[in-house]
Amino acid sequence: MSEKMQYIPIAKPWMGEPEAEAAKRAIMSGWVTQGPEVATFEQEFAAYVGSKYACAVSNCTTALHLALLAVGVQPGDEVITVSHSYIATANSIRYCGAVPVFVDIEPQSYNINPVLIADAISDRTRAILVVHQIGMPCNLKAILDVAHQYNLPVIEDAACAIGSEILWDGQWEKIGKPHGDIACFSFHPRKVVSTGDGGMLTTNNPEWDKQFRLWRQHGMSVPDTVRHGAKQVIFESYPMLGYNYRMTDIQAAVGREQLKRLPEIVERRRYLAQRYDQQLADVPGLKLPTEPTWARSNWQSYCVRLPEKCNQVQVMQVMLDAGIATRRGIMCAHRESAYQIEVWSCGTSREACNCELGKCDRLVESEQAQDHAIILPLFHQMTEEEQDRVIAVLKSVCQVGV
Ligand SMILES: *Cc1c(COP(=O)(O)O)cnc(C)c1O
């Protein structure tokens, strides 16, 4: 990398004075957690995605944990999901003492292949946890068809999918309405909007929403806000085992500002993704992401599959030497040592499983995607000049081959 060349990061949150002012407002108010900013952020979030309820929590992993508990996942149950996701997806299932049963992905969308779900269902299956990977909506229509057939709840891991849309009965609707039973979002800085850390659960079921609110605050029967405002002495009780999964008001205040920016962020990301599409279209052997006619991605990440002759690590190194950050394709949980104990984690028949760590006959597409795809820089503030540099370097490595 030459001296004057600016480093292009993989992502960068778009935040500034309004977020700083909002954080200050929460701090100066004297109420810094689980107070009015959280309540307002929840209302604004629900209005944005079109859900009846939204409950803020500490991050998306805790949101997934509570969603699984709400639909009744218990120790020994199985939950169908993908290995090809950030490890938090599968981990949340294990927090319930349940077993993740991994289904392979479709190579084009990097999302769960709905055709393979029925085969993975057993009499221990308690739920289906699907992912809208890197912001691209998964095929919810097909997934819900199978789920209804087997009477299983569907949880959407929408960690990356705030602002993504799906065509539903002729209307474009936001991911998180929800179309399954519960959707879970993340506000980690690597996502499209951020509160530092943070998460949100959306549902149309009032009982589950009530449950989430109890669980996130130690199972405490009286919320702080109610006790604070009470004219009479009240004692809280703890009727169930809860957790500390609270979001702070400082985070929520920042989140409210981020939500205001969201339409502009999505528009910009869609523009930049389209620019990648156009300018990389003629690179021989390079496979670009495709958006189904029924989906609109927020392009949380733009993932390309490299030509056969290219080595993933070497391409990434050439780009890094040119001052451009990339990431490998999305990880596969089943290849990590943390999942070695689960000899059954690849599919339905544990007895018949001959898989080794890092190689599973039933998860070939997932492994291929991890090994041959790379994620290119894409963020709101990225200039066209910066993007042109990414395109030029990638084009030249693909043509020469490494
Ligand atoms: C980021 C991510 C998570 C975890 O979100 P946190 O807010 O960091 O807990 C879960 N699932 C997917 C698909 C993610 O990308």
Side-chain angles (χ1 to χ4, degrees):
M1 186 166 104
S2 80
E3 287 297 322
K4 9 184 231 310
M5 218 186 260
Q6 279 287 314
Y7 178 71
I8 304 175
I10 191 78
K12 204 189 232 179
W14 189 39
M15 293 182 163
E17 285 299 329
E19 284 80 4
E21 280 300 319
K24 184 176 173 184
R25 177 180 78 219
I27 290 165
M28 301 308 281
S29 77
W31 195 298
V32 287
T33 195
Q34 201 82 93
E37 294 286 353
V38 167
T40 313
F41 184 37
E42 289 172 341
Q43 282 159 17
E44 290 169 354
F45 195 93
Y48 176 81
V49 297
S51 67
K52 286 200 179 131
Y53 307 99
C55 178
V57 287
S58 49
N59 57 63
C60 184
T61 312
T62 55
L64 291 168
H65 183 197
L66 297 188
L68 291 163
L69 290 177
V71 302
V73 174
Q74 290 178 3
D77 286 344
E78 291 176 358
V79 176
I80 290 174
T81 192
V82 283
S83 169
H84 185 76
S85 182
Y86 187 57
I87 199 163
T89 309
N91 283 354
S92 68
I93 296 168
R94 288 178 57 190
Y95 297 163
C96 301
V99 175
V101 172
F102 295 134
V103 168
D104 212 357
I105 56 159
E106 302 168 322
Q108 304 83 11
S109 70
Y110 303 102
N111 276 323
I112 194 165
N113 188 340
V115 171
L116 303 176
I117 294 176
D119 260 359
I121 294 174
S122 79
D123 52 10
R124 277 174 293 207
T125 308
R126 185 59 69 105
I128 303 175
L129 170 53
V130 296
V131 183
H132 301 296
Q133 198 55 261
I134 54 176
M136 184 66 77
C138 62
N139 191 347
L140 279 171
K141 275 261 154 71
I143 292 159
L144 289 177
D145 277 351
V146 187
H148 291 154
Q149 207 179 318
Y150 291 88
N151 202 18
L152 290 168
V154 172
I155 297 164
E156 298 168 58
D157 180 342
C160 300
I162 177 75
S164 298
E165 294 179 318
I166 191 162
L167 193 61
W168 208 255
D169 301 330
Q171 304 268 14
W172 285 103
E173 295 187 342
K174 295 278 183 327
I175 291 295
K177 196 168 161 65
H179 300 91
D181 293 280
I182 302 167
C184 302
F185 292 87
S186 172
F187 306 119
H188 181 270
R190 182 67 183 87
K191 318 300 185 192
V192 170
V193 292
S194 183
T195 60
D197 256 312
M200 192 72 81
L201 288 136
T202 62
T203 185
N204 290 334
N205 182 323
E207 293 308 315
W208 288 341
D209 184 65
K210 244 184 248 161
Q211 277 288 331
F212 300 150
R213 285 162 202 284
L214 285 168
W215 277 328
R216 74 174 169 184
Q217 199 174 5
H218 305 286
M220 185 171 147
S221 63
V222 185
D224 284 336
T225 39
V226 173
R227 192 170 50 179
H228 180 77
K231 296 279 177 283
Q232 280 176 325
V233 173
I234 31 175
F235 293 148
E236 76 281 11
S237 60
Y238 299 87
M240 68 190 69
L241 177 68
Y243 307 89
N244 178 358
Y245 285 176
R246 284 184 297 246
M247 176 183 275
T248 70
D249 268 40
I250 305 168
Q251 291 168 307
V254 170
R256 292 178 62 200
E257 294 306 319
Q258 288 274 284
L259 265 193
K260 289 184 201 159
R261 294 188 196 258
L262 183 55
E264 203 185 325
I265 292 175
V266 173
E267 195 187 319
R268 176 77 185 160
R269 299 187 82 98
R270 289 187 60 79
Y271 170 74
L272 291 170
Q274 197 191 6
R275 237 175 141 261
Y276 270 140
D277 285 346
Q278 285 162 355
Q279 306 211 22
L280 293 171
D282 60 353
V283 181
L286 187 73
K287 291 203 188 73
L288 304 182
T290 50
E291 198 172 48
T293 51
W294 44 263
R296 281 188 193 150
S297 179
N298 64 3
W299 296 105
Q300 183 268 343
S301 290
Y302 190 89
C303 192
V304 298
R305 206 176 285 244
L306 296 170
E308 297 274 329
K309 64 181 174 193
C310 287
N311 174 285
Q312 184 191 47
V313 181
Q314 283 170 11
V315 171
M316 292 174 71
Q317 189 62 52
V318 170
M319 298 197 66
L320 190 60
D321 292 344
I324 299 163
T326 58
R327 295 287 180 270
R328 67 172 175 175
I330 294 125
M331 68 172 296
C332 291
H334 77 279
R335 295 171 117 178
E336 295 298 324
S337 301
Y339 279 77
Q340 194 160 26
I341 47 162
E342 276 134 306
V343 289
W344 27 256
S345 65
C346 62
T348 47
S349 163
R350 292 171 205 182
E351 296 73 25
C353 176
N354 295 314
C355 296
E356 306 155 32
L357 181 67
K359 222 177 141 300
C360 172
D361 289 348
R362 294 188 199 82
L363 301 171
V364 173
E365 294 298 347
S366 302
E367 292 171 4
Q368 293 268 329
Q370 181 182 9
D371 294 343
H372 299 289
I374 64 167
I375 291 171
L376 303 179
L378 181 63
F379 47 94
H380 185 85
Q381 309 92 315
M382 188 180 198
T383 63
E384 289 173 26
E385 292 71 36
E386 286 174 322
Q387 193 179 27
D388 290 343
R389 256 178 65 203
V390 177
I391 291 162
V393 177
L394 181 62
K395 266 189 171 170
S396 79
V397 258
C398 286
Q399 262 142 23
V400 179
V402 280

